[in-house]
């Protein structure tokens, strides 16, 4: 017996599936009674078909989704095209045609997940997307299954390989933002338009999906605070190191009594934190929970084989569910109404880099400005000025988001001060 699947989009991940199916043939035969067979592959145009054939792929390539939808032998559609459209339309049509769907499309799930999940429920089909978050790390199913008996209070992740590669180069090699971006583009990690990676958008999509699995709460894109790498200077990275930290782009969700707070931002991580040694393109998710305590899940966040492995695991799960008669159950069954934390309840230390006139009394003015919001300094460093301007860096004691906004507003209102950067600092 065979389970026929169709693949939409035959790029990096799609072309990895045939290899995985053959490498794991014996194991899959032990786990499943049926063989997974790639029955049809939807291609963009004839040129793409010719290219795939010249690479030795010999599938039934089609140019029209209807050829897949009308094929009653195909029970699973695997969407690997990425971006919102036409992926959203195709997935919708596949679900409406009664097909189970596997996708790696985090953009789509983060923005239209609610609608697509409810459509899948209505049609009693599966919609699985393990590969959408942290590529090869099996984090979503772990959260859905193994953490069902635990309460998660804090999630902190390195969720974007491109920006982590760039931050590693900036920290370890002293490269500038531009140099590290150029290298990431040369190696094919960052796209020619790197916006989604460097501005924290890609990480925020993944964080939105993690919020559903870890906290049972759906977040709209604008409910996740976001800042990226563009403003980071060499001096920020050097000062982080001098003060005992590593600067990295993190995605974080905290649950406090009033609700959850989610943020993607450059973060000073204490060098002793397990995430501080996650370097290059690697991803990791660090979880604090009441039962397990601290746990961390580390691995490749992208790449052909890691991502295809997660996709194939979803396919295997669907085949088993069909056999068990449990198909149509949601990938994640933990859902409660979203409650956003009161900004007074979210506390962190912060790093401020402030340009001031290079003259007597400027440090005192800064102390007074921070004191007026009841904020004290934990560490402070004045860099040697050029006679006109100087830079003062401050790490504050813990403050809440309301105090943070007030300090930022006041710094921005002082016309001879310039707030160059403000980053979150983890630790007590
Ligand atoms: N562009 C992403 C990253 C990979 O650099 O992590 C896919 O999500």
């Amino acid at each position: 017996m065979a389970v026929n699947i169709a693949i939409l989009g035959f790029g990096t991940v799609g072309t990895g599936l045939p290899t995985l199916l053959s490498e794991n043939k014996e194991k899959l035969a032990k786990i499943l009674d049926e063989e997974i067979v790639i029955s049809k592959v939807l291609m963009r145009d004839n040129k793409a078909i010719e290219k795939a054939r010249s690479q030795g792929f010999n599938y039934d390539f089609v140019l029209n989704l209807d050829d897949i939808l009308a094929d009653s032998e195909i029970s699973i559609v695997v969407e690997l095209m990425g971006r919102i459209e036409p992926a959203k339309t195709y997935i919708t049509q596949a679900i409406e045609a009664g097909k189970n769907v596997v996708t790696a499309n985090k953009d789509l799930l983060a923005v239209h997940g609610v609608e697509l999940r409810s459509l899948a429920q209505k049609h009693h089909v599966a919609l699985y997307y393990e590969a959408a978050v942290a590529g090869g790390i099996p984090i979503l199913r772990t959260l859905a299954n193994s953490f069902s008996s635990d309460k998660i209070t804090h999630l902190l992740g390195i969720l974007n390989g491109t920006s982590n590669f760039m931050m590693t180069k900036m920290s370890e090699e002293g490269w500038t933002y531009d140099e590290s971006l150029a290298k990431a583009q040369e190696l094919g990690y960052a796209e020619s338009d790197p916006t989604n990676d460097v501005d924290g958008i890609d990480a925020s999509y993944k964080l939105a999906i993690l919020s559903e699995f870890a906290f049972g709460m759906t977040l709209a894109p604008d409910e996740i605070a976001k800042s990226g790498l563009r403003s980071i200077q060499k001096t920020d990275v050097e000062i982080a190191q001098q003060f005992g930290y590593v600067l990295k782009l993190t995605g974080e969700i905290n649950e406090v009594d009033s609700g959850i707070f989610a943020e993607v931002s450059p973060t000073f991580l204490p060098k002793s934190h397990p995430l501080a040694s996650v370097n290059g393109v690697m991803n990791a998710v660090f979880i604090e929970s009441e039962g397990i305590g601290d746990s961390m899940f580390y691995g490749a966040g992208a790449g052909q084989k890691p991502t295809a492995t997660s996709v194939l695991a979803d396919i295997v799960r669907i085949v088993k569910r069909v056999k068990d008669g449990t198909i149509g159950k949601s990938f994640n069954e933990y859902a409660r109404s979203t409650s956003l934390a009161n900004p007074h309840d979210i506390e962190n230390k912060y790093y401020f880099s402030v340009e001031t006139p290079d003259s007597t009394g400027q440090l005192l003015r800064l102390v007074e400005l921070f004191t007026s919001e009841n904020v004290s300094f934990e560490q402070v460093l004045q860099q040697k000025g050029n006679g006109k301007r100087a830079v003062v860096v401050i790490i504050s004691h813990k403050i809440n988001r309301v105090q943070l906004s007030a300090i930022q507003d006041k710094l921005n209102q002082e016309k001879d001060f310039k707030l160059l950067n403000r980053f979150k600092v983890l630790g007590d």
Side-chain angles (χ1 to χ4, degrees):
M1 281 274 289
V3 177
N4 288 332
I5 69 169
I7 303 176
L8 316 184
F10 207 48
T12 307
V13 181
T15 52
L17 277 175
T19 315
L20 275 188
L21 282 169
S22 97
E23 283 180 0
N24 294 288
K25 202 174 165 65
E26 282 173 25
K27 182 170 184 181
L28 289 169
K30 296 227 182 288
I31 296 171
L32 305 171
D33 301 333
E34 298 155 294
E35 189 186 0
I36 296 165
V37 174
I38 300 172
S39 167
K40 287 193 170 70
V41 180
L42 181 72
M43 303 295 272
R44 203 176 37 244
D45 50 30
N46 280 314
K47 217 170 134 202
I49 296 178
E50 273 167 40
K51 189 178 162 205
R53 288 203 197 289
S54 73
Q55 290 170 334
F57 295 110
N58 213 0
Y59 294 112
D60 182 0
F61 292 114
V62 299
L63 295 172
N64 193 332
L65 182 71
D66 290 338
D67 292 338
I68 290 168
L69 299 182
D71 186 338
S72 60
E73 304 285 302
I74 292 174
S75 58
I76 303 174
V77 169
V78 182
E79 183 275 312
L80 298 170
M81 297 181 299
R83 307 287 157 146
I84 305 285
E85 284 296 353
K88 177 168 183 261
T89 303
Y90 289 1
I91 288 180
T92 302
Q93 291 178 350
I95 292 172
E96 285 170 348
K99 314 286 188 199
N100 298 295
V101 171
V102 174
T103 174
N105 195 328
K106 67 224 162 251
D107 310 30
L108 184 57
L109 267 309
V111 180
H112 299 288
V114 174
E115 177 190 337
L116 292 173
R117 283 194 302 269
S118 91
L119 191 69
Q121 289 269 287
K122 186 173 148 205
H123 290 271
H124 303 290
V125 295
L127 174 62
Y128 290 172
Y129 38 94
E130 179 64 73
V133 178
I137 307 177
I139 186 66
L140 296 184
R141 196 156 278 115
T142 302
L143 288 168
N145 296 339
S146 307
F147 277 90
S148 57
S149 53
D150 203 350
K151 177 175 169 54
I152 296 173
T153 52
H154 182 215
L155 181 150
L156 184 71
I158 291 180
L159 302 172
N160 182 267
T162 303
S163 58
N164 200 45
F165 168 83
M166 291 172 60
M167 289 309 309
T168 304
K169 289 292 177 199
M170 290 167 81
S171 296
E172 292 191 349
E173 318 273 351
W175 291 9
T176 62
Y177 169 87
D178 288 332
E179 287 165 345
S180 58
L181 176 58
K183 191 67 177 178
Q185 283 172 325
E186 184 192 318
L187 293 173
Y189 301 146
E191 315 246 337
S192 52
D193 175 1
T195 306
N196 277 18
D197 289 320
V198 301
D199 289 343
I201 297 166
D202 175 79
S204 77
Y205 289 152
K206 294 165 181 165
L207 200 62
I209 298 170
L210 286 169
S211 169
E212 286 164 357
F213 283 71
F215 296 90
M217 294 193 195
T218 300
L219 294 170
D222 64 358
E223 289 172 331
I224 299 178
K226 260 188 300 299
S227 52
L229 308 186
R230 289 184 206 260
S231 66
I232 296 176
Q233 302 295 314
K234 261 177 138 172
T235 49
D236 298 316
V237 175
E238 286 162 6
I239 287 165
Q241 287 172 334
Q242 204 175 323
F243 284 178
Y245 297 91
V246 181
L247 184 53
K248 290 198 172 286
L249 186 78
T250 67
E252 183 178 28
I253 307 177
N254 256 307
E255 180 165 6
V256 292
D257 287 347
S258 52
I260 62 168
F261 179 75
E263 178 175 37
V264 172
S265 65
T267 305
F268 276 36
L269 285 172
K271 279 184 183 156
S272 57
H273 193 286
L275 282 184
S277 51
V278 174
N279 287 323
V281 290
M282 300 308 277
N283 283 196
V285 180
F286 182 82
I287 291 173
E288 289 172 35
S289 60
E290 290 182 356
I292 298 174
D294 292 351
S295 52
M296 187 163 100
F297 304 85
Y298 169 87
Q304 183 182 59
K305 228 169 171 181
T307 311
T309 301
S310 288
V311 168
L312 183 53
D314 278 348
I315 296 169
V316 169
R317 183 80 180 130
I318 290 175
V319 176
K320 284 173 88 76
R321 276 214 183 267
V322 170
K323 183 162 178 261
D324 295 346
T326 54
I327 199 72
K329 276 193 174 295
S330 179
F331 187 13
N332 166 45
E333 290 170 299
Y334 182 32
R336 47 188 180 143
S337 53
T338 300
S339 164
L340 299 180
N342 182 324
H344 285 97
D345 298 339
I346 297 301
E347 291 195 331
N348 277 296
K349 300 196 284 190
Y350 289 93
Y351 162 91
F352 298 87
S353 166
V354 187
E355 195 184 280
T356 68
D358 191 7
S359 59
T360 313
Q362 300 304 325
L363 200 52
L364 180 61
R365 283 179 65 204
L366 275 174
V367 172
E368 284 171 352
L369 188 151
F370 277 69
T371 306
S372 68
E373 293 302 328
N374 211 15
V375 177
S376 60
F377 295 176
E378 183 182 277
Q379 277 174 287
V380 62
L381 178 75
Q382 170 148 21
Q383 295 181 301
K384 195 168 184 311
N386 62 6
K388 289 191 177 138
R389 306 288 285 169
V391 174
V392 177
V393 296
I394 294 157
I395 292 186
S396 72
H397 279 292
K398 277 197 175 173
I399 59 177
N400 64 45
R401 300 289 298 189
V402 178
Q403 288 171 295
L404 175 66
S405 298
I407 294 279
Q408 287 183 175
D409 289 348
K410 285 192 171 172
L411 285 169
N412 288 329
Q413 278 156 18
E414 293 283 332
K415 64 177 182 336
D416 54 359
F417 283 173
K418 187 172 175 206
L419 178 58
L420 300 174
N421 266 319
R422 182 277 285 165
F423 302 131
K424 184 165 63 185
V425 178
L426 285 197
D428 293 323

